[in-house]
Each structure stands twice: as C-alpha cells, then as structure tokens.
Amino acid sequence: RIAGTKADQEMEEYAARRFREIGLQDVRMQPFNLPPQWFALDWEVSASGGGQTLALKTAFPSARSAATPAAGLDLDVVWVGAGTELDYAGRDVKGKAVLITSFPTPSANIHTASQNGAMERAVQKGAAATLLNIYLPGNVINEAGGAQGLPSFAIGNEDTAQLRRMMEKGPTKVRIKLSTEMRANLTDSNVWGTLPGATDEEIVIFAHHDGYFEAAFDNATGSATMLGLAEYFAKIPQAQRKRTLKFVSTAAHHAGSPGTRWMYDNLSGAMSKTVLVINCEHTSITQQYLQGPDLRRSNAINAERRWVNGNAKLGRLALDAYK
C-alpha cells in the first residue's frame, strides 16, 4: 500500500466504507499533494565465482536507492561483517560492493547496521553498492534502509549463505541492475469520521493506512485498532460519550506524513478543541524467538513501546495505572 498508489487509494475507500458502516458522521476525504516519490521499476542481482552463477532472488532495493547505469554494474564483493569500524579495518572496499549482516533490534527497520553506522561507513570508504542481510531465518524479502547515494539492496538469509559460501571459495563478483523513477502529481488523503459526544471537546484517534508489502504489522494492526475503537464507542449512547470522538485514517506516513503534519500545524485552528490525540501505530504482534535456524512464534504479545507527549500529568496517570 505505497502512498499515492491504487492500493493506497483502495485502503482509503475501505476506511471510509467502514466508518459509514460503523455509524460515524461527516465521513470525508482530506486530500494532500505528495512531493515527487521514488519508485523502483526493475532490478536484478546475481553473483558469480568459481565458474558458477547465483541469482539472488530475494534482493529488494532499499527505498530511495540510487539507480545503476542502464548496463548495470559488475563489482567485486567484500564481506564486512556487522559493518563496524573494526569490520572495515584492513578491507579495501573502494569501488566494490559490501556485504553486511545485521540483526533485528527489534525489527527489519531498526537493526544493528542502522544503529552502528555501517551504511554510512560504506559511503565514506568509497563503496559502490551495498548488500544488507537482515538476519531473519529463511529467505525473507524485506525493505531495509540503504546507503545514501549508492545502489542498495536487502537480501534474505539463504541467499546470503550461498553468496558467502561462494566468496569463501574465491574471488566473487556481483552484477547489479536497478532502474528507478521519481513520480510527481501523486496524492493521498486523510479519511475522517466523527462520533458526536456530550461536549464539543474532541479526542482524535488515528492510524496511518500506507505501508510496504502486505503491511500486516505496520500498519494494518494500527488501522484495525482504530476501527475497533470506533466500533466500540459507536455502540455507546452519545450522552455517555463525554467528548466528541474523531477517527482518522491518515495519509502517507512513509512519504512525509502530510496527514499528521496538517494536524500539528492546525493545533490552534481546526484542531483547537482537541484535548487528546491517540496514535495507533503497529499495535500488536506476537513475541518471536530465534532458535537456531528457526524463527518461532510464541503465545504472548510482544512488548509495546508507548509515548506520551505534551502533558506530564497524563504520563504520570498512565504510569500509576500500570503500577
């Protein structure tokens, strides 16, 4: 559900339809023009060495990755472990592709290479491309942050293992091709719905509707939570709803967040009656454990990270409730 695409629009239409079915009032779209957006059009990554060729089928370009020349790039590939300064020590990576392994802490978005500066070092030391393996069992396709200005790809564990075995036997090259484009004139929309309350003070509950791949966790879980709250409070008589509730499926979280930026910019205007804003952001996932070569799901809900901003008293109330 990439922001500005047909799938993203379908999610907006779904949110509006569910709002009406639940019984929300004043259901409306609030469109935003998006800045030019990066899209990968076509790509391929393969490795060759010792007379063999290996297609890296899980290779997936990092968002805003640099394109290659139309003919592609043929590069020596260098293993740099976790990508720390010590891992790079003694390795000549100038003009070459670097292969980095990173461990999720706790996810494919937040991982050891993103925290230790591995990608920035690749740029500083003159690398020509990066291949990043997020250490998840199997051969998972995912999007992981790349090195600014370089062609960058995430690759799965099994592809990485085969590539490393090839490198262990002798010199190895990777062939990389990536074509991209910037698309202008895209739009995305906030979808609003209202449950009137006993007063005109407002509580705003929102969740962004764009995401990568199936986006079940980020952010279908948040959207489901937001819609579930709407369904719950719609069954409570208006006189018992102390405040008006506004529900919003917000636009383009992964493309500049114009939907929530508008709310912030209008705190003293259109949002002046708002007393509380609740952001439902990837709200539910089961705990998982890495056991040898397997990633195992548990029967427990993963720990949640919660933020309270703008009101210290609300933060204390929440902590006291937990205690």
PDB file of all heavy atoms in Angstrom, residues 43-46 54-60 139-141 154-156 159 162:
ATOM      1  N   TRP A  43      14.795  -4.547 -11.400  1.00  0.00           N
ATOM      2  CA  TRP A  43      16.108  -4.794 -10.814  1.00  0.00           C
ATOM      3  C   TRP A  43      16.472  -6.261 -10.902  1.00  0.00           C
ATOM      4  O   TRP A  43      15.604  -7.129 -11.053  1.00  0.00           O
ATOM      5  CB  TRP A  43      16.148  -4.337  -9.352  1.00  0.00           C
ATOM      6  CG  TRP A  43      15.202  -5.071  -8.455  1.00  0.00           C
ATOM      7  CD1 TRP A  43      15.428  -6.210  -7.739  1.00  0.00           C
ATOM      8  CD2 TRP A  43      13.848  -4.695  -8.166  1.00  0.00           C
ATOM      9  NE1 TRP A  43      14.321  -6.581  -7.021  1.00  0.00           N
ATOM     10  CE2 TRP A  43      13.328  -5.673  -7.266  1.00  0.00           C
ATOM     11  CE3 TRP A  43      13.028  -3.643  -8.566  1.00  0.00           C
ATOM     12  CZ2 TRP A  43      12.036  -5.601  -6.784  1.00  0.00           C
ATOM     13  CZ3 TRP A  43      11.736  -3.585  -8.085  1.00  0.00           C
ATOM     14  CH2 TRP A  43      11.247  -4.554  -7.196  1.00  0.00           C
ATOM     15  N   GLU A  44      17.761  -6.539 -10.805  1.00  0.00           N
ATOM     16  CA  GLU A  44      18.260  -7.904 -10.697  1.00  0.00           C
ATOM     17  C   GLU A  44      19.629  -7.860 -10.036  1.00  0.00           C
ATOM     18  O   GLU A  44      20.404  -6.923 -10.228  1.00  0.00           O
ATOM     19  CB  GLU A  44      18.352  -8.580 -12.064  1.00  0.00           C
ATOM     20  CG  GLU A  44      19.308  -7.931 -13.039  1.00  0.00           C
ATOM     21  CD  GLU A  44      19.381  -8.691 -14.360  1.00  0.00           C
ATOM     22  OE1 GLU A  44      18.464  -8.534 -15.170  1.00  0.00           O
ATOM     23  OE2 GLU A  44      20.362  -9.446 -14.533  1.00  0.00           O
ATOM     24  N   VAL A  45      19.894  -8.882  -9.228  1.00  0.00           N
ATOM     25  CA  VAL A  45      21.187  -9.006  -8.549  1.00  0.00           C
ATOM     26  C   VAL A  45      21.619 -10.471  -8.660  1.00  0.00           C
ATOM     27  O   VAL A  45      20.845 -11.378  -8.328  1.00  0.00           O
ATOM     28  CB  VAL A  45      21.110  -8.590  -7.061  1.00  0.00           C
ATOM     29  CG1 VAL A  45      22.486  -8.707  -6.412  1.00  0.00           C
ATOM     30  CG2 VAL A  45      20.567  -7.169  -6.927  1.00  0.00           C
ATOM     31  N   SER A  46      22.836 -10.687  -9.115  1.00  0.00           N
ATOM     32  CA  SER A  46      23.368 -12.044  -9.201  1.00  0.00           C
ATOM     33  C   SER A  46      24.838 -12.018  -8.810  1.00  0.00           C
ATOM     34  O   SER A  46      25.465 -10.951  -8.768  1.00  0.00           O
ATOM     35  CB  SER A  46      23.202 -12.618 -10.611  1.00  0.00           C
ATOM     36  OG  SER A  46      23.927 -11.834 -11.554  1.00  0.00           O
ATOM     37  N   LEU A  54      24.966 -17.313  -9.360  1.00  0.00           N
ATOM     38  CA  LEU A  54      23.917 -17.420  -8.349  1.00  0.00           C
ATOM     39  C   LEU A  54      22.979 -16.229  -8.477  1.00  0.00           C
ATOM     40  O   LEU A  54      23.407 -15.079  -8.356  1.00  0.00           O
ATOM     41  CB  LEU A  54      24.534 -17.443  -6.945  1.00  0.00           C
ATOM     42  CG  LEU A  54      23.590 -17.305  -5.752  1.00  0.00           C
ATOM     43  CD1 LEU A  54      22.681 -18.530  -5.657  1.00  0.00           C
ATOM     44  CD2 LEU A  54      24.392 -17.119  -4.464  1.00  0.00           C
ATOM     45  N   ALA A  55      21.716 -16.491  -8.750  1.00  0.00           N
ATOM     46  CA  ALA A  55      20.707 -15.429  -8.780  1.00  0.00           C
ATOM     47  C   ALA A  55      20.221 -15.173  -7.362  1.00  0.00           C
ATOM     48  O   ALA A  55      19.763 -16.088  -6.673  1.00  0.00           O
ATOM     49  CB  ALA A  55      19.539 -15.830  -9.670  1.00  0.00           C
ATOM     50  N   LEU A  56      20.339 -13.930  -6.900  1.00  0.00           N
ATOM     51  CA  LEU A  56      19.890 -13.559  -5.557  1.00  0.00           C
ATOM     52  C   LEU A  56      18.435 -13.108  -5.657  1.00  0.00           C
ATOM     53  O   LEU A  56      18.130 -11.923  -5.800  1.00  0.00           O
ATOM     54  CB  LEU A  56      20.790 -12.465  -4.984  1.00  0.00           C
ATOM     55  CG  LEU A  56      22.270 -12.854  -4.886  1.00  0.00           C
ATOM     56  CD1 LEU A  56      23.117 -11.669  -4.426  1.00  0.00           C
ATOM     57  CD2 LEU A  56      22.456 -14.034  -3.941  1.00  0.00           C
ATOM     58  N   LYS A  57      17.533 -14.082  -5.567  1.00  0.00           N
ATOM     59  CA  LYS A  57      16.126 -13.835  -5.864  1.00  0.00           C
ATOM     60  C   LYS A  57      15.434 -12.955  -4.828  1.00  0.00           C
ATOM     61  O   LYS A  57      14.398 -12.346  -5.119  1.00  0.00           O
ATOM     62  CB  LYS A  57      15.392 -15.168  -5.997  1.00  0.00           C
ATOM     63  CG  LYS A  57      15.899 -16.016  -7.158  1.00  0.00           C
ATOM     64  CD  LYS A  57      15.151 -17.335  -7.256  1.00  0.00           C
ATOM     65  CE  LYS A  57      15.670 -18.163  -8.422  1.00  0.00           C
ATOM     66  NZ  LYS A  57      14.967 -19.471  -8.536  1.00  0.00           N
ATOM     67  N   THR A  58      15.983 -12.903  -3.612  1.00  0.00           N
ATOM     68  CA  THR A  58      15.341 -12.085  -2.580  1.00  0.00           C
ATOM     69  C   THR A  58      15.832 -10.644  -2.582  1.00  0.00           C
ATOM     70  O   THR A  58      15.370  -9.837  -1.761  1.00  0.00           O
ATOM     71  CB  THR A  58      15.595 -12.679  -1.180  1.00  0.00           C
ATOM     72  OG1 THR A  58      17.014 -12.785  -0.974  1.00  0.00           O
ATOM     73  CG2 THR A  58      14.956 -14.040  -1.043  1.00  0.00           C
ATOM     74  N   ALA A  59      16.763 -10.304  -3.461  1.00  0.00           N
ATOM     75  CA  ALA A  59      17.278  -8.933  -3.478  1.00  0.00           C
ATOM     76  C   ALA A  59      16.139  -7.946  -3.704  1.00  0.00           C
ATOM     77  O   ALA A  59      15.360  -8.080  -4.655  1.00  0.00           O
ATOM     78  CB  ALA A  59      18.330  -8.782  -4.564  1.00  0.00           C
ATOM     79  N   PHE A  60      16.033  -6.966  -2.812  1.00  0.00           N
ATOM     80  CA  PHE A  60      14.969  -5.967  -2.906  1.00  0.00           C
ATOM     81  C   PHE A  60      15.584  -4.599  -2.651  1.00  0.00           C
ATOM     82  O   PHE A  60      16.273  -4.397  -1.645  1.00  0.00           O
ATOM     83  CB  PHE A  60      13.858  -6.245  -1.890  1.00  0.00           C
ATOM     84  CG  PHE A  60      12.617  -5.440  -2.135  1.00  0.00           C
ATOM     85  CD1 PHE A  60      11.650  -5.884  -3.033  1.00  0.00           C
ATOM     86  CD2 PHE A  60      12.417  -4.229  -1.495  1.00  0.00           C
ATOM     87  CE1 PHE A  60      10.513  -5.132  -3.279  1.00  0.00           C
ATOM     88  CE2 PHE A  60      11.280  -3.472  -1.733  1.00  0.00           C
ATOM     89  CZ  PHE A  60      10.321  -3.925  -2.621  1.00  0.00           C
ATOM     90  N   ASN A 139      14.314 -17.199   3.782  1.00  0.00           N
ATOM     91  CA  ASN A 139      14.774 -16.358   2.679  1.00  0.00           C
ATOM     92  C   ASN A 139      13.769 -15.235   2.508  1.00  0.00           C
ATOM     93  O   ASN A 139      13.023 -15.163   1.525  1.00  0.00           O
ATOM     94  CB  ASN A 139      14.903 -17.174   1.387  1.00  0.00           C
ATOM     95  CG  ASN A 139      16.148 -16.802   0.601  1.00  0.00           C
ATOM     96  OD1 ASN A 139      17.087 -16.212   1.151  1.00  0.00           O
ATOM     97  ND2 ASN A 139      16.168 -17.142  -0.669  1.00  0.00           N
ATOM     98  N   VAL A 140      13.740 -14.348   3.491  1.00  0.00           N
ATOM     99  CA  VAL A 140      12.716 -13.315   3.581  1.00  0.00           C
ATOM    100  C   VAL A 140      13.061 -12.142   2.674  1.00  0.00           C
ATOM    101  O   VAL A 140      14.196 -11.667   2.654  1.00  0.00           O
ATOM    102  CB  VAL A 140      12.576 -12.831   5.037  1.00  0.00           C
ATOM    103  CG1 VAL A 140      11.572 -11.694   5.142  1.00  0.00           C
ATOM    104  CG2 VAL A 140      12.168 -13.982   5.944  1.00  0.00           C
ATOM    105  N   ILE A 141      12.064 -11.673   1.944  1.00  0.00           N
ATOM    106  CA  ILE A 141      12.210 -10.427   1.186  1.00  0.00           C
ATOM    107  C   ILE A 141      11.762  -9.287   2.084  1.00  0.00           C
ATOM    108  O   ILE A 141      10.660  -9.315   2.639  1.00  0.00           O
ATOM    109  CB  ILE A 141      11.355 -10.457  -0.096  1.00  0.00           C
ATOM    110  CG1 ILE A 141      11.823 -11.577  -1.030  1.00  0.00           C
ATOM    111  CG2 ILE A 141      11.416  -9.115  -0.812  1.00  0.00           C
ATOM    112  CD1 ILE A 141      10.957 -11.744  -2.258  1.00  0.00           C
ATOM    113  N   ALA A 154      18.426  -5.155   0.144  1.00  0.00           N
ATOM    114  CA  ALA A 154      18.318  -6.150   1.209  1.00  0.00           C
ATOM    115  C   ALA A 154      18.283  -7.519   0.556  1.00  0.00           C
ATOM    116  O   ALA A 154      17.709  -7.681  -0.527  1.00  0.00           O
ATOM    117  CB  ALA A 154      17.043  -5.926   2.014  1.00  0.00           C
ATOM    118  N   ILE A 155      18.900  -8.514   1.187  1.00  0.00           N
ATOM    119  CA  ILE A 155      18.840  -9.890   0.674  1.00  0.00           C
ATOM    120  C   ILE A 155      18.569 -10.843   1.830  1.00  0.00           C
ATOM    121  O   ILE A 155      18.965 -10.591   2.972  1.00  0.00           O
ATOM    122  CB  ILE A 155      20.128 -10.304  -0.076  1.00  0.00           C
ATOM    123  CG1 ILE A 155      21.368 -10.169   0.802  1.00  0.00           C
ATOM    124  CG2 ILE A 155      20.285  -9.502  -1.352  1.00  0.00           C
ATOM    125  CD1 ILE A 155      22.632 -10.699   0.129  1.00  0.00           C
ATOM    126  N   GLY A 156      17.891 -11.955   1.521  1.00  0.00           N
ATOM    127  CA  GLY A 156      17.484 -12.912   2.540  1.00  0.00           C
ATOM    128  C   GLY A 156      18.621 -13.785   3.036  1.00  0.00           C
ATOM    129  O   GLY A 156      19.709 -13.850   2.444  1.00  0.00           O
ATOM    130  N   ASP A 159      19.915 -16.744   0.617  1.00  0.00           N
ATOM    131  CA  ASP A 159      20.703 -16.165  -0.470  1.00  0.00           C
ATOM    132  C   ASP A 159      22.064 -15.699   0.044  1.00  0.00           C
ATOM    133  O   ASP A 159      23.095 -15.900  -0.611  1.00  0.00           O
ATOM    134  CB  ASP A 159      19.961 -14.991  -1.104  1.00  0.00           C
ATOM    135  CG  ASP A 159      18.931 -15.449  -2.132  1.00  0.00           C
ATOM    136  OD1 ASP A 159      18.902 -16.640  -2.443  1.00  0.00           O
ATOM    137  OD2 ASP A 159      18.172 -14.587  -2.618  1.00  0.00           O
ATOM    138  N   GLN A 162      24.432 -18.674   0.627  1.00  0.00           N
ATOM    139  CA  GLN A 162      25.001 -19.186  -0.623  1.00  0.00           C
ATOM    140  C   GLN A 162      26.070 -18.239  -1.173  1.00  0.00           C
ATOM    141  O   GLN A 162      27.105 -18.683  -1.676  1.00  0.00           O
ATOM    142  CB  GLN A 162      23.891 -19.374  -1.654  1.00  0.00           C
ATOM    143  CG  GLN A 162      22.933 -20.506  -1.334  1.00  0.00           C
ATOM    144  CD  GLN A 162      21.958 -20.752  -2.461  1.00  0.00           C
ATOM    145  OE1 GLN A 162      22.347 -21.200  -3.538  1.00  0.00           O
ATOM    146  NE2 GLN A 162      20.688 -20.441  -2.229  1.00  0.00           N
TER     147      GLN A 162
END
